[in-house]
Amino acid sequence: MEKTSFSNNEGKPIRCKAAICRKPGEALVIEDIQVDPPQAYEVRIKILCTSLCHTDITFWKIDSPPLSRFPRILGHEAVGVVESIGENVDGFKQGDVVLPVFHPYCEECRDCKSSKTNWCAKYADDFISNTRRYGMASRFKDSSGEDIHHFLFVSSFSEYTVVDIAHLVKISPEIPVDKAALLSCGVSTGLGAAWKVADVEEGSTVAVFGLGAVGLAVAEGARLRGAAKIIGIDLNPDKFELGKKFGFTDFINPTMCGEKKISEVIKEMTGGGVDYSFECVGLASLLNEAFISTRTGSGKTIMLGMEKHAATISLGSYDLLRGRTVCGSLFGGLKSKLDIPIFVDHYLKKELNLDSFITHELNFEEINKAFSLLEEGKSLRCILWMDK
């Protein structure tokens, strides 16, 4: 990528444009804002491009506190360049290419030091605050001086943003920035689930429920691990042709199963069930079907979808007793600073397919069109360019 030059704004506020959500579900408005300089352990970055994730759609619509806070700058999949750093920041300097990520990695707590989990005991329980170490203090102000709320400690729908170092990953400048942005959330979540949580091995069988970006990334991870059969389950038959690019070998449209359950069809296809199933939609009923689709005695189910209604999950005790397991996965079990650079390396070696995730590219000012495309199911990932 071309080197980005900066005027000397270190320690000073920057004025720029951002897409502000002022009311739930209403169109975002491009406004002039002020972005304050980074404080200790923070970095101010210039966003090069950003993409839209279903989590942005979800929080855009929420109309009840504490998750609903307006005005707000959404966005959490992006890539940027370091513009300036605050005190006590090590490992980052002006000009570095970086990915902001929603999930923290402090590198200091017991869990961050453990190989068993990607949870961060120091920070991960708090996803409500504006800034990681400063609570509800905001780095954004609108033209009237009113504070603007952050989103998941990233807020990438702005030309500049301020991110804590626990949420920032330095990456190689050799990777195209639009491909890099994909690794900031959804694609990394799917890849990580296949590689780190399930630890899919060569010759295994896999079922993926829901072929959005996360589900397709699960398949890509399973393909790279040498899975023998990767079954995609989705109501949209248009996803099937696209899915072949990510390694899917078979597809099931639930509306075409007649009186049979999806799990019955999968068991017939695999001679008893898959080794691994991934629920990427967020439906309690679908998780149960994914669970039953796995092999008795050894099958493993990974839940990646966020249950939209916080419904209770019900699993058959006898099915569980006979050796099947189920687990949840946040951000694909990844420790961001350690694992994302590995994905970048795989892409640069032409092993990892990122190109096929990008279905649309728009100027930042067209952000509301990107929302419509994703809501209507016409977009997988839409790249929003800041300077084009």
Side-chain angles (χ1 to χ4, degrees):
M1 60 168 284
E2 295 181 4
K3 190 173 181 179
T4 303
S5 59
F6 298 101
S7 56
N8 187 20
N9 288 309
E10 187 174 355
K12 304 174 185 176
I14 284 180
R15 298 203 65 83
C16 68
K17 294 189 180 298
I20 299 178
C21 180
R22 291 201 168 271
K23 293 183 179 179
E26 291 192 0
L28 276 59
V29 182
I30 304 293
E31 298 184 21
D32 290 322
I33 67 163
Q34 174 180 299
V35 182
D36 289 338
Q39 300 303 302
Y41 302 102
E42 293 180 339
V43 174
R44 187 163 61 188
I45 64 177
K46 175 181 172 61
I47 297 295
L48 300 175
C49 66
T50 184
S51 54
L52 188 61
C53 169
H54 278 285
T55 304
D56 296 305
I57 297 283
T58 299
F59 277 82
W60 170 57
K61 292 181 177 179
I62 292 176
D63 58 2
S64 57
L67 298 181
S68 174
R69 294 205 309 272
F70 302 97
R72 192 177 215 171
I73 298 175
L74 296 167
H76 65 288
E77 281 192 357
V79 62
V81 177
V82 173
E83 178 269 338
S84 59
I85 63 175
E87 296 179 357
N88 303 322
V89 171
D90 295 319
F92 299 98
K93 65 181 186 303
Q94 187 182 78
D96 283 346
V97 181
V98 291
L99 286 186
V101 293
F102 76 93
H103 192 57
Y105 177 52
C106 76
E107 305 178 77
E108 300 170 349
C109 71
R110 175 180 175 179
D111 287 334
C112 281
K113 291 180 178 179
S114 169
S115 61
K116 297 179 180 180
T117 179
N118 73 330
W119 192 251
C120 176
K122 187 174 182 179
Y123 293 134
D125 281 318
D126 174 22
F127 59 94
I128 299 295
S129 295
N130 279 326
T131 46
R132 178 48 75 197
R133 300 168 205 254
Y134 303 93
M136 296 309 295
S138 174
R139 303 289 175 255
F140 303 121
K141 289 182 174 60
D142 66 13
S143 58
S144 63
E146 179 185 2
D147 279 351
I148 305 170
H149 292 289
H150 293 236
F151 178 60
L152 295 181
F153 307 98
V154 176
S155 292
S156 61
F157 295 165
S158 172
E159 292 177 323
Y160 286 86
T161 188
V162 175
V163 179
D164 191 280
I165 57 174
H167 292 266
L168 208 58
V169 181
K170 181 178 176 180
I171 62 170
S172 168
E174 295 179 25
I175 183 171
V177 294
D178 54 339
K179 311 308 185 298
L182 302 173
L183 297 174
S184 191
C185 179
V187 172
S188 285
T189 295
L191 290 171
W195 285 13
K196 299 205 69 174
V197 183
D199 195 16
V200 172
E201 70 274 3
E202 186 175 356
S204 58
T205 54
V206 173
V208 182
F209 291 73
L211 305 189
V214 173
L216 293 172
V218 168
E220 176 68 4
R223 178 189 71 80
L224 289 170
R225 280 293 182 91
K229 184 182 284 289
I230 307 173
I231 305 168
I233 301 96
D234 202 285
L235 292 168
N236 182 358
D238 294 339
K239 296 284 186 71
F240 297 166
E241 194 62 37
L242 175 63
K244 294 177 183 178
K245 298 179 180 180
F246 298 97
F248 281 104
T249 58
D250 302 88
F251 299 94
I252 298 173
N253 185 336
T255 63
M256 305 298 289
C257 292
E259 295 182 358
K260 290 183 179 180
K261 293 182 178 180
I262 303 170
S263 56
E264 292 174 339
V265 175
I266 291 175
K267 287 177 180 178
E268 290 176 359
M269 295 172 65
T270 58
V274 291
D275 298 305
Y276 305 99
S277 68
F278 299 82
E279 198 286 321
C280 305
V281 178
L283 291 174
S285 59
L286 198 58
L287 179 68
N288 185 63
E289 199 65 11
F291 178 66
I292 299 173
S293 298
T294 61
R295 293 189 68 81
T296 300
S298 61
K300 185 172 185 177
T301 300
I302 295 89
M303 184 182 79
L304 295 169
M306 182 184 296
E307 224 300 328
K308 297 173 178 59
H309 307 291
T312 300
I313 294 169
S314 177
L315 301 174
S317 57
Y318 190 47
D319 294 318
L320 195 62
L321 181 66
R322 292 195 294 171
R324 292 185 176 95
T325 59
V326 60
C327 69
S329 172
L330 187 65
F331 198 43
L334 301 176
K335 294 181 184 294
S336 57
K337 296 179 193 292
L338 301 180
D339 295 315
I340 289 179
I342 294 174
F343 292 157
V344 171
D345 186 55
H346 279 288
Y347 177 81
L348 293 175
K349 290 179 179 177
K350 303 187 184 302
E351 298 169 349
L352 177 62
N353 175 16
L354 295 178
D355 302 49
S356 299
F357 285 99
I358 300 173
T359 55
H360 296 77
E361 298 185 47
L362 297 170
N363 294 327
F364 180 54
E365 289 77 10
E366 300 175 280
I367 190 169
N368 289 302
K369 183 178 179 180
F371 270 71
S372 297
L373 287 168
L374 191 59
E375 273 199 295
E376 295 166 6
K378 297 178 180 178
S379 169
L380 192 58
R381 276 299 184 267
C382 178
I383 298 295
L384 295 163
W385 292 97
M386 292 299 182
D387 292 332
K388 288 189 177 182

